[in-house]
Amino acid sequence: MDIRIALAGNPNCGKTTLFNDLTGSAQYVGNWPGVTVERKEGRLKGRRDVVIEDLPGIYSLSPYTLEEVVARGYLVKERPDAILNIVDGTNIERNLYLTTQLMELGIPVVVAVNMMDLVQKNGDAISLDKLGQMLGCEVVTMSALKGQGSVEAALRAVKAAQEKKEAALPNVFTGSVERAIAHIEESIAEVVDKRSLRWHAVKLFERDRKEREALDLSPALKERLEAHIAKCEEELDDDAESIITNQRYAYIRRVVERAVRKRAAGHALTASDRIDRVVTNRLLALPIFAAVMAFVYWVSISTVGDWVTGWTNDVLFGEMICGNLRAFMEGAGCAPWLTGLVADGIVGGVGSVIGFVPQMLILFLMLSILEDVGYMARVAFIMDRIFRKFGLSGKSFIPMLISSGCGVPGVMASRTIENDRDRKMTVMTTCFIPCGAKMPIIGLFAGALFGGSGLVATSAYFIGVAAVILSGILLKKTKLFAGDPAPFVMELPAYHVPAAANVLRSTWERGWSFIKRAGTVILASAVILWFLQSFGVVDGALQMVEDNNTSLLAAIGNVVAPLFAPLGFGSWKAAVATFTGLIAKENVVGTFGVLYGFAEVAEDGAEIWSLLAQDFTQLTAYSFMIFNLLCAPCFAAMGAIKREMNSAKWTFTAIGYMCGFAYAASLIVYQLGMLLHGGGFTVGTAAAVLALAALVYLVVRKNRHGRAAGAATSVRAASLE
Amino acid sequence: MLAYLAENLPTIIGAGIVVAVLALIGVKLVRDHRRHRGGCACGCDGCPNAGACHPK
């Protein structure tokens, strides 16, 4: 029979790193709350009979957040054979709060103190013997990041599970609280699992809503329990929940006093503190963030990324693959249509997308390094300050951080937001952040029309952020979304050298998924597009056409193209690319690759995207880019939106809002840009002015449905140091 | 008939390969769709929310 070991601990204490180390899995490791929303399962390496369960990071077993509900549900209902409680040694006081609750479950517990290397570096010392004595369970040390002590800790938990050695209940509560809990235990002994009697009693004392619902006690019993609780509250002049919290912390203080030796107070700031003084400074934080993102996009689009992508496009696909393939097929005697399909359709479509993989990998590599080093966690904290002013919680920024990889997990990460209105608003806005699949669009226009400008690429990211902030302001002023933002608590991890394995794994997974999509969805789309753009009705018969402006695809595209004319890209090719982008955003580039003859141009050795540049001015290209970055996401992301909204009405509202916002933004940029370039005042300009006026009104109007923005006060961030 | 086949053999083989690749892609997309692997660009193996798409 399998032995099940649950990894439980506070967010960002190293559970997923440990899980990956123990099971050989490749779960995504992130240093912000909400990375692990569900529990994950894997088998211990070398011990197939041991199942390791990675639980979401939690601060307590109270059912306030989704993570807590998931972890608590598993621990209480499914009862693993043992709990390996990961405790961050640098924050032992706060981490032990959860430990005191885990002990009450009546499940064998082994405490693994993680980050001991940092504890020692800080000059602190933890006595494992004293800690174990006071807690009543075995205590071991480890460093999950370095893989030191991980397996030993897991094996100790396995041993505890085999011995069924339950943790001795620590003396957490005193006086009247202990008496009241003992009375409750007596009263409910017959209705709950005896092994976790203490836990149920404490939860009932706290008036835990979920526990009360789950136990369904008789009214008479409820009255009796309430009398015990009320008497204790009266005696201690506090509410039950606060009494429990205070006594837990009082107990933890006693434990820490005996088992932990802290370096003398008043010690100098750590390196992380010193860096944070600058990067999270009220005035400097945003400019630094803008500079960092500008650097990231500049490197990935303009410099290293541009060279590598240039080589991939011109040499690898242009000369080596496409040129040789065409020559080979023509030499072998293949029909011209087949040569055209393979070289212009498949290689043109897929190659144009794959060409951007190097830029994407470099971008993902740099974002992964920023994540792993701990900077992105700071960005969430910085953005919380800004978002809160506009009615959004910093918690909404976590899905947006994830969305920079792919919108689908980004949308799904919004489920950690408890407030339903904030959650829906986050779902509606999170896809504004350019995902990896939108990178080729940015790279294409930055390269083809702006000379590989890093500024254009950076602006694409900040257009997404601005769209989120503007949407937050204007939606919060509507009845549907009004209300105070939810509190956001997160830890700022100490800066550390990024773990190469984490960074490379994260980069590779994103890149490999992109390549797989290019080889499947994009390839199939390219074939269909090539047929539609190569055949047309000539003299009443369907036949191949020389000029794709007379093709079937042109006929279809011309029907919808006028819709985009006010945005500056009313050509059928741009319209078709916008629509095929709904299949997958990188398909926009694949479509251009097929329609503009990527392969032929490359073979001539000319600038690959020069033909594209003939159909777009810088202004129309920028307008096209804005629209495609902000409009409805791909079908996969739309599916995720549908799942998270769980309502057809809300799904259409979300997608309609994105498209409407994208159209308005694009219209304003193009029409006012034309006006500034001497295009004269036209009907389109009037429409853009009206759209801008409406947007400004919606943003600055008085909030009649909620408290004044910026009134919330519950921003809390705790440094690990 | 044989002469036609011999004359167009490279085209027939080439077209056959393209059709086979497309068929494989079609099968993979249908299979992924059935397994709720909806084609997101992040992969499922390391996704923290994979359970939402692939309930056990």
Side-chain angles (χ1 to χ4, degrees):
Chain A
M1 195 166 151
D2 288 339
I3 297 168
R4 290 174 309 142
I5 308 293
L7 304 183
N10 284 190
N12 197 29
C13 68
K15 291 178 300 304
T16 305
T17 306
L18 176 66
F19 178 79
N20 285 343
D21 190 27
L22 292 177
T23 63
S25 303
Q27 290 302 321
Y28 177 67
V29 179
N31 47 22
W32 47 68
V35 170
T36 308
V37 184
E38 304 153 343
R39 71 186 160 96
K40 300 277 177 190
E41 205 176 278
R43 292 197 178 261
L44 180 63
K45 282 189 281 189
R47 284 290 301 267
R48 305 301 299 165
D49 59 327
V50 178
V51 177
I52 307 286
E53 307 267 6
D54 181 22
L55 300 182
I58 48 173
Y59 291 107
S60 75
L61 291 176
S62 305
Y64 295 131
T65 64
L66 180 72
E67 293 96 319
E68 283 168 350
V69 171
V70 170
R72 167 171 149 155
Y74 174 71
L75 292 171
V76 177
K77 289 181 191 148
E78 298 188 38
R79 296 186 66 84
D81 297 304
I83 298 170
L84 183 55
N85 175 208
I86 322 299
V87 167
D88 172 2
T90 61
N91 274 293
I92 198 153
E93 292 93 336
R94 199 185 54 252
N95 279 246
L96 287 179
Y97 187 83
L98 175 68
T99 309
T100 61
Q101 293 186 307
L102 295 175
M103 304 291 225
E104 289 160 1
L105 288 166
I107 299 170
V109 176
V110 171
V111 171
V113 184
N114 193 18
M115 305 187 199
M116 274 306 277
D117 44 343
L118 281 177
V119 172
Q120 284 157 2
K121 200 175 156 192
N122 292 344
D124 300 337
I126 299 172
S127 163
L128 300 186
D129 291 340
K130 284 180 186 165
L131 194 59
Q133 270 171 21
M134 292 212 57
L135 292 174
C137 67
E138 194 168 1
V139 180
V140 294
T141 62
M142 59 173 222
S143 173
L145 202 63
K146 293 178 181 170
Q148 292 166 352
S150 311
V151 177
E152 290 81 355
L155 292 177
R156 296 280 184 100
V158 171
K159 196 170 163 230
Q162 284 168 332
E163 290 172 356
K164 298 194 188 309
K165 199 169 127 190
E166 287 174 21
L169 277 177
N171 299 316
V172 177
F173 307 112
T174 55
S176 53
V177 183
E178 185 59 47
R179 274 198 304 279
I181 292 171
H183 281 305
I184 296 172
E185 282 180 347
E186 241 175 67
S187 308
I188 60 167
E190 301 304 318
V191 289
V192 299
D193 186 335
K194 283 197 175 53
R195 293 170 298 179
S196 49
L197 182 60
R198 165 60 52 138
W199 187 81
H200 288 289
V202 174
K203 284 289 141 197
L204 284 174
F205 183 89
E206 287 178 323
R207 298 198 182 89
D208 184 292
R209 184 176 46 82
K210 275 204 185 299
E211 181 66 8
R212 286 181 162 207
E213 285 167 8
L215 290 184
D216 193 24
L217 304 171
S218 69
L221 183 54
K222 274 185 193 165
E223 209 174 300
R224 207 159 64 235
L225 299 185
E226 189 53 39
H228 290 306
I229 301 166
K231 193 177 163 196
C232 187
E233 284 181 327
E234 198 184 324
E235 199 176 311
L236 296 173
D237 194 23
D238 208 345
D239 66 282
E241 203 174 349
S242 302
I243 291 171
I244 294 291
T245 307
N246 291 338
Q247 294 222 343
R248 281 195 200 280
Y249 274 117
Y251 167 75
I252 291 166
R253 270 195 299 276
R254 292 198 297 275
V255 172
V256 170
E257 270 168 23
R258 282 196 60 186
V260 182
R261 200 189 71 230
K262 291 260 179 194
R263 200 165 63 165
H267 60 265
L269 291 174
T270 62
S272 284
D273 289 336
R274 282 197 293 271
I275 297 169
D276 276 343
R277 279 194 155 187
V278 180
V279 298
T280 62
N281 178 284
R282 278 186 184 280
L283 295 174
L284 295 175
L286 263 187
I288 289 173
F289 173 52
V292 167
M293 291 314 286
F295 177 75
V296 165
Y297 275 88
W298 176 69
V299 169
S300 50
I301 298 285
S302 302
T303 56
V304 185
D306 194 36
W307 303 328
V308 188
T309 289
W311 182 85
T312 314
N313 275 335
D314 298 345
V315 182
L316 183 66
F317 277 100
E319 291 170 21
M320 291 164 79
I321 297 180
C322 192
N324 289 333
L325 190 64
R326 187 187 292 277
F328 171 76
M329 290 181 78
E330 282 171 354
C334 288
W337 68 265
L338 184 63
T339 307
L341 169 65
V342 174
D344 302 335
I346 295 175
V347 177
V350 177
S352 58
V353 174
I354 295 282
F356 289 97
V357 167
Q359 283 183 337
M360 233 181 64
L361 287 179
I362 291 167
L363 177 75
F364 285 150
L365 179 75
M366 295 182 77
L367 290 177
S368 299
I369 291 171
L370 286 177
E371 271 178 42
D372 214 52
V373 89
Y375 180 67
M376 282 313 208
R378 267 80 183 172
V379 174
F381 170 64
I382 295 162
M383 294 310 276
D384 181 72
R385 283 206 298 242
I386 298 162
F387 277 21
R388 196 158 290 278
K389 285 186 181 146
F390 305 126
L392 264 175
S393 159
K395 220 168 189 181
S396 299
F397 193 69
I398 304 293
M400 288 166 205
L401 275 177
I402 297 172
S403 282
S404 62
C406 173
V408 176
V411 167
M412 288 196 291
S414 65
R415 61 179 57 185
T416 57
I417 300 168
E418 297 84 31
N419 183 316
D420 191 52
R421 284 174 300 197
D422 283 4
R423 194 177 57 76
K424 285 195 168 100
M425 199 162 79
T426 305
V427 170
M428 283 173 76
T429 54
T430 198
C431 288
F432 284 150
I433 300 293
C435 65
K438 288 175 185 169
M439 261 296 292
I441 307 177
I442 300 168
L444 166 64
F445 284 107
L449 283 130
F450 294 93
S453 165
L455 201 61
V456 170
T458 312
S459 73
Y461 183 79
F462 283 100
I463 284 168
V465 175
V468 172
I469 292 175
L470 283 177
S471 298
I473 300 170
L474 66 91
L475 290 176
K476 268 286 174 183
K477 290 180 179 175
T478 62
K479 202 176 169 184
L480 283 174
F481 298 100
D484 290 336
F488 176 54
V489 181
M490 82 169 293
E491 293 179 22
L492 299 184
Y495 290 102
H496 62 85
V497 177
N502 280 349
V503 169
L504 293 176
R505 184 168 52 222
S506 168
T507 305
W508 172 245
E509 274 189 7
R510 288 165 170 180
W512 179 234
S513 297
F514 184 84
I515 293 167
K516 277 196 288 189
R517 284 221 304 189
T520 52
V521 178
I522 307 299
L523 193 150
S525 300
V527 170
I528 295 167
L529 281 172
W530 184 85
F531 271 108
L532 288 173
Q533 68 108 36
S534 300
F535 287 84
V537 179
V538 181
D539 300 329
L542 187 70
Q543 52 184 274
M544 267 189 101
V545 289
E546 279 292 314
D547 179 6
N548 64 10
N549 287 313
T550 58
S551 67
L552 288 173
L553 195 61
I556 298 165
N558 278 325
V559 175
V560 288
L563 197 63
F564 302 108
L567 312 185
F569 50 94
S571 74
W572 70 268
K573 289 176 182 173
V576 167
T578 299
F579 275 92
T580 55
L582 296 178
I583 298 168
K585 282 292 168 183
E586 59 269 44
N587 215 11
V588 170
V589 173
T591 303
F592 282 141
V594 175
L595 300 183
Y596 284 96
F598 166 90
E600 284 180 21
V601 179
E603 192 189 24
D604 294 339
E607 167 59 46
I608 287 172
W609 297 108
S610 58
L611 284 181
L612 177 72
Q614 285 171 14
D615 275 6
F616 284 88
T617 64
Q618 287 192 336
L619 187 60
T620 55
Y622 203 68
S623 167
F624 179 87
M625 192 178 79
I626 290 176
F627 185 79
N628 277 279
L629 292 182
L630 301 181
C631 76
C634 64
F635 288 135
M638 284 193 231
I641 291 173
K642 184 169 166 274
R643 262 199 310 275
E644 294 309 311
M645 291 293 198
N646 200 22
S647 143
K649 192 184 92 183
W650 272 105
T651 306
F652 284 119
T653 305
I655 291 164
Y657 175 77
M658 282 183 247
C659 291
F661 191 91
Y663 199 92
S666 222
L667 182 77
I668 292 166
V669 167
Y670 175 68
Q671 293 293 345
L672 297 187
M674 283 296 286
L675 186 67
L676 291 174
H677 283 85
F681 198 92
T682 61
V683 179
T685 321
V689 170
L690 273 177
L692 184 62
L695 190 66
V696 170
Y697 168 73
L698 289 171
V699 168
V700 301
R701 75 179 169 142
K702 198 178 166 200
N703 187 355
R704 286 176 298 172
H705 300 287
R707 223 162 54 133
T713 53
S714 53
V715 188
R716 280 176 286 167
S719 169
L720 280 179
E721 299 303 313
Chain B
M1 180 68 180
L2 278 175
Y4 174 83
L5 286 177
E7 196 179 319
N8 293 291
L9 195 60
T11 303
I12 292 167
I13 292 171
I17 293 170
V18 171
V19 169
V21 168
L22 287 176
L24 284 174
I25 290 171
V27 168
K28 182 179 166 26
L29 292 178
V30 170
R31 194 182 289 166
D32 282 354
H33 183 71
R34 286 193 184 143
R35 281 159 43 192
H36 301 280
R37 286 179 177 254
C40 62
C42 50
C44 300
D45 296 338
C47 175
N49 294 303
C53 302
H54 319 297
K56 283 182 184 172

